């Protein structure tokens, strides 16, 4: 019999609001303690031994993912200025290769010539005319166990590029510069310890970048002149409020540099005319607690205007226009608040505007042309806004890859649970849609064999909770209990929309149902759906998920002996909570980078992200009601055994990363130890060279997904061979 590692108990006392808690496993937080590292390695060894029987299945799933994926491939080129930019993947290589070719007069992206057979194999590919490699991530990753690209930008004239890399997984990047004028020489200039998202100004003379404070919060924006000492860099903006993150960028028009300061519920934007990059930024709207807004620049009637999506008195947001030189002056209403529509964003171009919004739980996109003379005073949204139609009942559609201000087309991505992602260019003037590419799925994938559908569960308080499901019609008789994986998230107003997944086919082709519980705390049903699943309403997220599981069991879609739950990060908190609330509903729980010790983390302002998170969870440091509420649902603090001393928890697999700065490895490590105290049988898998997103490199990521899915298949009692 294999025995799990023994986690020593070293009591540490925590006291808040008169409540004294003795935490026996908090000592695991000391990352550089040799005893902690030894314990984590022991956990990995134990998990490896316990899952050895899944090795063959893991390899099968990995091979299925690889076999279905076109490994040597080309992204649809995106035009910016005088160049088409794209990324290649090559069979056998972990990372992408960033390239470009010169652009001609038209807006037709270059394509590979028609070929037959599989000549694009191994490490070779056919280059496009005039193609040159800008950055080969595989070369940059050599000698490192982890690699991530956090910044990549090119000057407007296309002569210099910057790239920022992280080789630890801690989301701290080193920025370097390279001439791409034919010499490909590395410029003697390095910026270490930056946040992601460094950008050139419009002239290409300066770089604007962010650095972080002791809590790893991007809090300062700097201006750096290329080729000069970093000691001469100018601090252009510092955010003292610990709830706010900073980011910097350019408007699509390249007219303004933009600094955005944002917490979970409040935002503020500052602009600087790019004609004066050494000048002073000016605020658009001074911050107002609880008001969020995004800014886009547009030229209408020859005048600079700002389009602002905001929620000042409009819970689901509305769109207004203001004069760029007087943004706090008169507002012109363009799209008024609609309680049935959550307005999510706007993208402005020289000749048109794209609007993204959400209705009936699904994303939508609409287009409006910008008349040369500007909008008449009596114009209404119906006069100008045209929604893009889709032909599926469950789908996702969104704007992506549109960097050029002058482009006559809008690039849109469309997908569903059964439809591989389509890349389409909409010709705005004519309405014509041009399919540029559909995600290739090698083998014999037939979308007609799969069915997606929407169900509704009823929560404890009577609210109807949407459920999305997908399965293979020939392997699942709906209404006869089938192995099922139920996914949930439910935080930060993040929506889990229908999308296609090649790895997921390995579940569906084994007769499994994949389901998504669109619980409160997410954004699927609008801003109020989010508000009703945060802070002192957070328990709704957990009880909604349980209600969905109960619905699927009661309707005999599945059964408790073949229903596995999955969630990651804040969704991992959801997994820990439902494990305590309804453990007998599930045959297994997969918790990835799980936020399962939220109260301990949120009580410590010195930890990364803590103060920022108070807008989402509440402030237990100063508010005893929040403290008591969080303590009442914290998975770690509410682990419990049966009255007879046994365990009612299903098998649990917790996956985490040593260098994760968002959810520290210590949370699942402590949780697993306490679960074992309650008689449960959890497993802990720690990636020792990874961050919040897991391992780097596509093959490594596929193998990790294959392992997780093998565990799910085993726990769901799905057919192991897919027959």
């Amino acid at each position: 019999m294999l025995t799990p590692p023994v986690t020593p108990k070293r009591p540490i006392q925590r006291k808040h609001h008169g409540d004294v808690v003795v935490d026996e496993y908090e000592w695991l937080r000391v990352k550089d303690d040799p005893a902690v590292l030894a314990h984590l390695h022991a956990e990995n060894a134990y998990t490896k031994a316990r899952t050895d029987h899944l090795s063959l299945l893991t390899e099968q799933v990995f091979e299925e993912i690889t076999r279905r994926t076109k490994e040597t491939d080309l992204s649809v080129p995106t035009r910016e200025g005088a160049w088409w930019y794209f990324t290649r993947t090559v069979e056998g290589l972990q990372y992408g290769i960033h390239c470009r070719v010169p652009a001609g007069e038209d807006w037709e992206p270059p394509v590979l010539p028609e070929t037959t057979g599989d000549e694009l194999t191994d490490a070779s590919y056919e280059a496009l005319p005039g193609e040159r490699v800008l950055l080969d991530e595989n070369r940059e990753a050599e000698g490192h166990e982890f690699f991530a690209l956090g910044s990549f930008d090119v000057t407007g004239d296309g002569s210099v590029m910057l790239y920022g890399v992280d080789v630890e997984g801690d989301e701290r990047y080193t920025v370097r510069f390279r001439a791409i004028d034919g010499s490909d020489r590395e410029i003697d200039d390095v910026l270490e310890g930056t946040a992601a998202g460094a950008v050139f100004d419009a002239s290409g003379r300066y770089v604007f970048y962010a650095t972080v404070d002791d809590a790893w919060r991007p809090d300062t924006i700097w201006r750096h002149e290329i080729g000069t000492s970093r000691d001469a860099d100018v601090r252009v903006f510092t955010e003292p409020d610990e709830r706010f993150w900073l980011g910097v960028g350019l408007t699509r028009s390249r007219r303004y540099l933009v600094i955005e300061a944002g917490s979970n519920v409040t935002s503020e934007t500052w602009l600087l005319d790019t004609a004066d990059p050494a000048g002073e930024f000016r605020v658009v709207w001074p911050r107002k607690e609880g008001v969020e807004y995004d800014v886009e620049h547009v030229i209408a009637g020859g005048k600079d205007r700002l389009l602002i999506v905001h929620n000042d008195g409009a819970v689901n947001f509305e769109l207004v226009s203001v004069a760029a030189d007087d943004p706090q002056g008169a507002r012109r209403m363009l799209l008024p608040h609609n309680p049935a529509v959550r307005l999510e964003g706007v993208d402005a171009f020289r000749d048109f505007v794209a609007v993204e919004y959400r209705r009936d739980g699904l994303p939508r996109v609409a287009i409006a042309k910008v008349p040369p003379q500007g909008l008449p005073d009596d114009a209404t949204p119906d006069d100008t806004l045209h929604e893009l139609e889709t032909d599926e009942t469950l789908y996702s559609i969104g704007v992506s890859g549109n960097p050029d201000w002058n482009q006559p087309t809008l690039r849109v991505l469309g997908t569903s649970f059964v439809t591989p992602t389509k890349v389409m260019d909409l010709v705005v003037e004519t309405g014509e849609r041009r399919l540029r590419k559909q995600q290739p799925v090698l083998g014999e994938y037939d979308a007609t064999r799969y069915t997606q559908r929407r169900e509704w569960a009823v929560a404890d308080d009577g609210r109807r909770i949407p459920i999305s499901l997908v399965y293979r019609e020939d392997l699942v008789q709906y209404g006869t209990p089938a192995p099922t994986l139920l996914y949930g998230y439910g935080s930060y107003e993040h929506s889990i929309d229908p999308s296609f997944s090649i790895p997921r086919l390995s579940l569906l082709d084994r007769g499994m149902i994949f389901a998504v519980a669109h619980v409160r705390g997410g954004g699927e049903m609008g801003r109020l759906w989010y508000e009703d699943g945060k802070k002192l309403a957070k328990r709704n997220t957990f009880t909604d998920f349980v209600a969905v599981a109960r619905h699927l069991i009661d309707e005999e879609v599945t059964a408790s002996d073949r229903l596995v739950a999955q969630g990651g990060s804040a969704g991992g908190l959801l997994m820990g909570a439902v494990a305590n609330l309804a453990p007998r509903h599930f045959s297994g729980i997969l918790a990835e980078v799980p936020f399962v010790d939220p109260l301990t983390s949120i009580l410590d302002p010195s930890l990364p992200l803590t103060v920022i998170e108070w807008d989402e969870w509440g402030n237990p440091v100063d508010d005893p009601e929040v403290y008591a509420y969080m303590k009442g649902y914290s998975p770690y603090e509410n682990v419990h055994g049966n009255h007879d001393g046994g365990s009612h928890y299903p098998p649990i697999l917790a996956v985490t990363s040593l260098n994760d700065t968002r959810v520290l490895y210590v949370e699942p490590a402590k949780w697993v130890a306490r679960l074992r105290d309650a008689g449960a049988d959890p497993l802990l898998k720690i990636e020792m060279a990874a961050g919040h997103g897991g391992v780097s490199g596509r093959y490594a990521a596929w193998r990790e997904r294959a392992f997780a899915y093998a565990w799910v298949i085993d726990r769901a009692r799905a057919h192991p061979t897919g027959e």
Side-chain angles (χ1 to χ4, degrees):
M1 289 289 293
L2 292 169
T3 57
V6 175
T7 312
K9 296 182 178 181
R10 302 176 185 174
I12 296 175
Q13 190 179 96
R14 185 190 78 201
K15 184 176 181 180
H16 287 274
H17 306 296
D19 180 48
V20 178
V21 174
V22 176
D23 190 339
E24 297 165 323
Y25 300 118
E26 177 63 12
W27 67 274
L28 290 168
R29 189 175 299 275
V30 185
K31 181 178 176 181
D32 56 358
D33 183 344
V36 171
L37 293 175
H39 176 75
L40 299 181
H41 283 295
E43 289 282 10
N44 272 345
Y46 175 68
T47 296
K48 186 176 186 300
R50 283 288 306 277
T51 58
D52 185 63
H53 67 290
L54 298 176
S55 297
L56 178 59
L57 180 55
T58 298
E59 192 62 29
Q60 287 175 345
V61 174
F62 174 75
E63 289 178 358
E64 289 164 10
I65 296 170
T66 304
R67 189 168 60 246
R68 291 183 175 118
T69 302
K70 188 176 181 182
E71 298 177 67
T72 297
D73 203 3
L74 179 78
S75 69
V76 179
T78 296
R79 180 167 175 173
E80 187 168 12
W83 306 91
W84 289 101
Y85 293 88
F86 55 94
T87 301
R88 288 189 177 275
T89 55
V90 176
E91 182 177 342
L93 299 183
Q94 292 271 22
Y95 303 97
I97 303 170
H98 302 268
C99 310
R100 77 178 183 187
V101 295
E105 295 298 321
D106 61 31
W107 281 81
E108 286 296 309
V111 295
L112 285 173
E114 290 295 328
T115 57
T116 59
D118 293 322
E119 52 273 347
L120 298 183
T121 59
D122 301 322
S124 64
Y125 58 84
E126 183 176 353
L128 294 169
E131 178 177 342
R132 66 179 303 169
V133 173
L134 302 181
L135 183 72
D136 185 343
E137 292 186 34
N138 301 283
R139 292 183 179 178
E140 302 298 327
E142 288 178 1
H144 302 289
E145 291 185 71
F146 181 90
F147 176 87
L149 185 67
S151 297
F152 185 81
D153 197 22
V154 179
T155 55
D157 65 1
S159 64
V160 179
M161 59 172 277
L162 67 78
Y163 59 101
V165 302
D166 166 22
V167 295
E168 298 293 336
D170 59 4
E171 300 181 54
R172 300 299 166 256
Y173 301 88
T174 298
V175 175
R176 293 183 172 86
F177 303 88
R178 181 177 297 167
I180 47 176
D181 54 4
S183 65
D184 290 339
R185 62 183 175 85
E186 292 287 336
I187 296 173
D188 185 18
D189 195 346
V190 177
L191 304 174
E192 295 183 347
T194 74
V199 295
F200 289 109
D201 78 319
S203 71
R205 177 182 176 185
Y206 297 102
V207 170
F208 287 78
Y209 66 94
T211 56
V212 301
D213 62 11
D214 291 340
W216 292 27
R217 172 183 66 96
D219 74 320
T220 301
I221 302 297
W222 300 83
R223 184 180 71 245
H224 172 77
E225 186 171 2
I226 306 299
T228 66
S229 169
R230 190 171 182 180
D231 293 339
D233 287 3
V234 176
R235 185 195 307 257
V236 297
F237 194 94
T238 296
E239 176 53 62
D241 191 327
E242 294 178 306
R243 298 175 303 156
F244 285 76
W245 278 36
L246 293 181
V248 63
L250 272 174
T251 58
R252 185 177 283 104
S253 64
R254 307 183 75 84
R255 174 64 187 276
Y256 298 104
L257 282 154
V258 184
I259 293 176
E260 295 177 327
S263 74
N264 283 330
V265 299
T266 306
S267 63
E268 186 176 57
T269 298
W270 296 68
L271 299 181
L272 174 64
D273 195 312
T274 52
D276 183 21
E280 296 292 325
F281 283 81
R282 58 188 176 88
V283 69
V284 177
W285 288 356
R287 70 186 62 173
K288 180 179 177 182
E289 186 67 23
V291 172
E292 302 171 66
Y293 68 93
D294 290 317
V295 177
E296 281 279 297
H297 170 234
V298 68
I299 299 175
K303 297 180 180 179
D304 290 311
R305 305 282 295 178
L306 301 179
L307 301 180
I308 302 180
V309 176
H310 72 92
N311 68 337
D312 189 5
V315 65
N316 263 349
F317 291 73
E318 62 187 17
L319 175 63
V320 300
S321 169
V322 298
D325 58 2
D326 184 22
Q328 297 168 46
R331 303 181 186 181
R332 175 173 182 172
M333 180 63 66
L334 298 180
L335 288 175
H337 176 259
N338 184 336
V341 175
R342 168 61 164 97
L343 185 59
E344 294 191 323
V346 60
D347 287 275
F349 302 83
R350 183 190 62 191
D351 299 322
F352 63 93
V353 171
V355 181
E356 294 184 275
Y357 50 98
R358 183 174 297 277
R359 187 179 69 243
D360 299 329
L362 294 171
R364 322 271 174 162
V365 173
I367 307 295
K369 296 180 183 178
V370 178
Q373 71 277 10
L375 291 173
D377 291 338
D378 59 351
T380 68
D382 291 338
D383 295 331
T384 57
L385 204 60
H386 302 281
E387 184 174 300
L388 305 186
E389 296 181 355
T390 62
D391 56 4
E392 294 187 82
T393 56
L394 290 180
Y395 61 87
S396 295
I397 188 169
V399 174
S400 179
N402 295 280
D404 199 291
W405 170 252
N406 298 305
Q407 62 189 63
T409 60
L410 178 71
R411 181 155 295 169
V412 177
L413 303 184
T415 185
S416 76
F417 288 118
V418 301
T419 303
T421 301
K422 296 179 180 179
V423 182
M424 298 169 286
D425 281 348
L426 174 75
V427 181
V428 175
E429 184 63 33
T430 65
E432 176 191 358
R433 296 191 195 189
R434 297 174 179 172
L435 177 64
R436 300 303 188 188
K437 182 176 183 176
Q438 183 162 21
Q439 177 186 3
V441 184
L442 304 185
E444 299 180 353
Y445 176 72
D446 180 359
T448 64
R449 302 169 71 184
Y450 301 83
T451 293
Q452 56 181 354
R453 63 188 294 161
R454 172 61 57 84
E455 291 265 347
W456 298 83
V458 179
D460 295 343
D461 60 0
R463 296 296 292 275
R464 298 178 73 237
I465 313 301
I467 316 166
S468 297
L469 306 100
V470 60
Y471 54 90
R472 251 181 70 167
E473 274 193 328
D474 58 331
L475 299 180
V476 172
Q477 183 178 347
Y478 201 77
T480 298
T484 299
L485 177 61
L486 178 61
Y487 181 86
Y489 188 75
S491 292
Y492 304 107
E493 203 180 357
H494 178 65
S495 300
I496 309 299
D497 291 319
S499 64
F500 187 79
S501 166
I502 285 179
R504 189 190 300 139
L505 294 177
S506 292
L507 303 181
L508 304 183
D509 288 353
R510 285 173 170 80
M512 287 192 68
I513 296 172
F514 177 78
V516 177
H518 301 286
V519 295
R520 280 174 283 184
E524 289 89 339
M525 303 297 286
R527 173 49 71 96
L528 291 179
W529 196 252
Y530 165 55
E531 297 285 352
D532 208 18
K534 64 182 290 193
K535 288 190 173 180
L536 296 178
K538 189 62 199 172
R539 280 197 185 97
N540 287 335
T541 303
F542 316 139
T543 55
D544 284 358
F545 192 89
V546 172
V548 169
R550 188 170 58 240
H551 172 86
L552 296 176
I553 293 169
D554 290 347
E555 296 298 314
E556 297 189 327
V557 175
T558 187
S560 59
D561 65 348
R562 63 200 68 184
L563 174 60
V564 178
Q566 179 193 8
S569 195
L573 166 63
L574 172 60
M575 295 300 99
V578 301
N580 291 333
L581 288 173
R584 291 190 174 90
H585 281 32
F586 306 98
S587 61
I589 294 177
L590 174 59
E592 298 173 306
V593 290
F595 185 44
V596 285
D597 188 21
L599 187 54
T600 303
S601 295
I602 298 295
L603 281 168
D604 187 351
S606 69
L607 291 177
L609 309 184
T610 287
V611 176
I612 294 169
E613 294 295 309
W614 286 348
D615 284 333
E616 179 75 17
W617 312 98
N619 178 0
V621 175
D622 299 322
D623 191 332
E625 183 182 12
V626 172
Y627 175 91
Y629 188 81
M630 292 189 70
K631 186 179 180 184
Y633 70 67
S634 167
Y636 176 64
E637 304 201 38
N638 288 278
V639 170
H640 57 281
N642 278 346
H643 64 277
D644 59 4
S647 174
H648 50 196
Y649 288 99
I652 293 172
L653 173 61
V655 181
T656 189
S657 299
L658 183 65
N659 295 327
D660 191 342
T661 59
R662 296 174 184 258
V663 179
L664 303 186
Y665 72 91
V666 66
E667 298 201 23
K670 291 169 58 176
W671 182 48
V672 164
R674 183 158 285 182
L675 283 166
R676 290 196 184 121
D677 287 345
D681 184 26
L683 298 176
L684 178 64
K685 189 174 188 295
I686 311 103
E687 297 297 340
M688 304 304 287
H692 191 63
V695 295
S696 67
R698 57 177 178 162
Y699 293 103
W702 294 348
R703 193 167 292 280
E704 286 306 299
R705 182 50 51 202
F707 169 77
Y709 276 178
W711 187 86
V712 166
I713 291 165
D714 185 59
R715 293 311 313 158
R717 297 173 55 190
H719 199 291
T721 64
E723 296 176 356

